[in-house]
């Protein structure tokens, strides 16, 4: 199912494209997005409706918007139960398609990033705590339902989900999308949000910003040369929040844009859609 295409269809038609959706439900809930691993589904229903995903309640905004998403390795169908304000109920079952992930081998990574020392491991553990507390799951804003834009225009050099080897050693999959751009290129907020972390130098991520789009959807911008925002600040879509750099575990300047929904790693490219025609780079860059 193609998100770009769906955006131009009336919501009622979008809802009917989902497998298992009863025809009589079409005017009470609609879902847009791709039901695939790493996919993000945005729902619209009547304000005051209770929405339950696999037994867990989802936040529903005043506008009736809600969100759920599928991890890189999600397996199987999900079940959505809705209870409308008039107490009528319905249940939907959504099949989640699997994806194939390519292997990416990156050589020439500094050894401190591949085999950190005990001291460096302590710093990595401290960073992990900072990052965990920067991902609230209950922010009552529904900016996630607005159309996302790319934070930087450029050549995509790494896609979501790649299985990675650094200097020949297997490491965690690549959870972001990499966009090559020269150091100093402005990074824009892909949607409105509240800054939850603004750090000049995390061990792996380098300069990093966590941006909270509401209901647990968090954008992460990594390897920044400059961080222009502060924790707690609210930014609008398109506002410049920092600049591309080559900080942290990189082999060249690029933006790595990641996205979490609750504990799941999800694919930002599915929200941002096709990259606008990139401007030519001023010089060649290599980006993991
Ligand atoms: Zn990356």
């Amino acid at each position: 199912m193609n998100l770009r295409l769906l955006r131009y269809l009336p919501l009622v038609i979008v809802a009917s494209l989902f497998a298992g959706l009863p025809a009589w439900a079409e005017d009470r809930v609609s879902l847009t997005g791709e039901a695939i691993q790493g996919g993000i589904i945005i729902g619209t229903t009547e304000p005051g409706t209770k929405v339950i995903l696999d037994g867990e309640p989802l936040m529903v905004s005043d506008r009736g918007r809600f969100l759920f998403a599928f991890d890189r390795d999600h397996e199987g169908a999900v079940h959505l139960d809705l209870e409308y304000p008039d107490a009528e109920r319905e249940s939907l079952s959504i099949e989640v398609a699997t994806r194939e992930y390519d292997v990416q081998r990156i050589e020439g990574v500094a050894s401190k990033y591949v085999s950190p020392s005990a001291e460096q491991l302590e710093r990595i553990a401290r960073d992990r705590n900072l990052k965990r507390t920067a991902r609230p799951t209950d922010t009552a804003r529904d900016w996630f339902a607005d159309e996302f834009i790319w934070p930087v225009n450029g050549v995509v050099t790494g896609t979501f989900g790649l299985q990675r080897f650094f200097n020949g050693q297997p490491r965690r999959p690549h959870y972001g999308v990499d966009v090559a751009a020269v150091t100093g290129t402005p990074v824009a907020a892909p949607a409105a949000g509240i800054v939850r972390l603004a750090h000049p130098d995390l061990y792996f991520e380098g300069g990093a910003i966590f941006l909270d789009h509401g209901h647990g959807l968090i954008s992460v911008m990594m390897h920044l040369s400059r961080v222009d925002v502060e924790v707690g600040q609210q930014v609008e879509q398109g506002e410049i929040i920092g600049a591309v750099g080559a900080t942290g575990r990189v082999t060249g300047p690029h933006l790595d844009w990641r996205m979490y929904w609750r504990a799941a790693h999800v694919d930002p490219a599915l929200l941002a859609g096709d990259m606008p025609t990139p401007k030519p780079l001023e010089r060649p860059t290599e980006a993991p």
Side-chain angles (χ1 to χ4, degrees):
M1 211 171 291
N2 183 292
L3 181 64
R4 291 282 110 183
L5 175 66
L6 293 186
R7 283 205 174 131
Y8 300 106
L9 297 174
L11 290 175
V12 168
I13 296 176
V14 171
S16 69
L17 292 175
F18 271 79
L21 189 69
W24 49 266
E26 284 176 7
D27 54 352
R28 304 206 79 175
V29 63
S30 70
L31 302 170
T32 59
E34 293 192 61
I36 60 173
Q37 290 176 333
I40 300 145
I41 306 292
I42 309 292
T44 304
T45 187
E46 297 158 26
T49 300
K50 288 181 192 148
V51 182
I52 312 279
L53 179 80
D54 289 338
E56 294 281 324
L58 296 179
M59 293 184 81
V60 179
S61 75
D62 295 344
R63 296 194 291 167
R65 304 294 169 86
F66 61 93
L67 157 81
F68 56 98
F70 313 110
D71 190 67
R72 175 188 184 271
D73 301 313
H74 182 95
E75 295 282 349
V78 296
H79 298 277
L80 203 61
D81 294 299
L82 296 104
E83 185 184 331
Y84 296 108
D86 61 6
E88 196 163 287
R89 293 163 184 265
E90 73 172 294
S91 292
L92 314 177
S93 184
I94 299 164
E95 294 294 332
V96 181
T98 57
R99 289 166 76 166
E100 298 283 328
Y101 299 110
D102 289 337
V103 171
Q104 186 183 39
R105 294 175 190 279
I106 299 163
E107 303 299 328
V109 180
S111 70
K112 69 171 187 168
Y113 292 117
V114 181
S115 308
S117 67
E119 197 181 314
Q120 287 159 343
L121 286 170
E122 270 177 38
R123 190 177 150 202
I124 291 164
R126 282 199 300 276
D127 285 359
R128 194 176 299 131
N129 283 331
L130 285 177
K131 290 184 279 180
R132 194 176 295 133
T133 55
R135 287 165 41 195
T137 58
D138 57 354
T139 302
R141 305 302 297 258
D142 63 4
W143 293 306
F144 59 83
D146 301 331
E147 284 205 20
F148 278 63
I149 59 171
W150 283 94
V152 165
N153 289 359
V155 176
V156 173
T157 53
T159 52
F160 174 84
L162 294 168
Q163 299 176 47
R164 299 223 291 193
F165 292 79
F166 287 99
N167 301 351
Q169 297 190 41
R171 288 294 179 269
R172 298 179 77 203
H174 186 241
Y175 290 117
V177 53
D178 289 330
V179 184
V182 295
T183 293
T185 303
V187 173
I194 297 170
V195 177
R196 297 299 183 191
L197 186 141
H199 200 288
D201 191 24
L202 294 172
Y203 192 79
F204 288 116
E205 295 84 355
I209 296 169
F210 280 43
L211 196 56
D212 178 355
H213 305 298
H215 295 204
L217 191 72
I218 312 284
S219 277
V220 179
M221 304 294 167
M222 293 167 41
H223 311 311
L224 304 174
S225 59
R226 214 181 62 228
V227 171
D228 296 341
V229 288
E230 290 174 3
V231 171
Q233 190 178 334
Q234 185 180 318
V235 298
E236 298 306 316
Q237 183 180 60
E239 200 173 322
I240 301 307
I241 56 176
V244 171
T247 55
R249 186 179 62 187
V250 297
T251 58
H254 71 286
L255 177 72
D256 185 327
W257 177 21
R258 305 195 169 195
M259 200 173 263
Y260 291 96
W261 179 66
R262 297 182 171 175
H265 293 92
V266 298
D267 184 355
L270 295 175
L271 282 180
D274 296 332
M275 175 69 77
T277 310
K279 295 191 201 106
L281 295 173
E282 288 163 29
R283 60 187 166 84
T285 59
E286 188 194 337

